[in-house]
Amino acid sequence: MQATIQLDGQTSEPIDVDTGLRQGCCMAPMLFNLYACVFVERWLARVENPDGIGVSLKYKHDQELFRRYTHNAEKGKLTELQFADDAALLAKTREGAEAAIQKYIHGSSR
């Protein structure tokens, strides 16, 4: 695979590209998911008080789509959302999100 660089209207000579994935490669989503899973796992391990992050979720999987009551519902917590190559951190407050991010950044040297 080769690439060229265009700068100020001038195009460079072709450059050989030996690393990376081609646009649309079917391995890209799998590699992103592997990276994202490890990142989230390490991030959650570094956050000492996980109560400030994520949102609580009650759910049922009894094949009844529009039940209004939550009797016997299971509880879970969503800490992040991921789709394709995008990710979002979930927190109840801005301060909680900022604290969790700082814990990850400053805890990475441990």
Side-chain angles (χ1 to χ4, degrees):
M1 184 168 62
Q2 293 186 324
T4 58
I5 299 171
Q6 189 171 10
L7 182 63
D8 294 330
Q10 302 288 325
T11 303
S12 72
E13 294 295 320
I15 301 167
D16 289 333
V17 179
D18 300 328
T19 61
L21 298 174
R22 295 179 73 126
Q23 181 71 27
C25 177
C26 62
M27 286 186 61
M30 181 177 58
L31 291 175
F32 174 78
N33 286 336
L34 288 171
Y35 168 79
C37 286
V38 170
F39 174 84
V40 169
E41 182 180 273
R42 290 184 178 179
W43 170 65
L44 288 173
R46 289 182 178 133
V47 177
E48 294 172 9
N49 183 8
D51 292 335
I53 62 167
V55 293
S56 297
L57 177 70
K58 287 185 179 180
Y59 61 94
K60 293 179 79 170
H61 42 84
D62 61 358
Q63 299 178 357
E64 296 292 329
L65 184 60
F66 294 109
R67 288 191 186 251
R68 296 193 183 268
Y69 61 89
T70 58
H71 182 67
N72 295 329
E74 296 186 40
K75 295 179 184 178
K77 182 182 267 192
L78 291 175
T79 56
E80 83 287 338
L81 299 173
Q82 300 172 17
F83 179 77
D85 60 352
D86 295 320
L89 165 70
L90 300 178
K92 294 179 184 176
T93 64
R94 179 184 178 130
E95 292 79 17
E98 289 174 354
I101 290 169
Q102 290 301 318
K103 286 284 188 183
Y104 182 82
I105 291 170
H106 296 299
S108 60
S109 62
R110 288 189 227 165

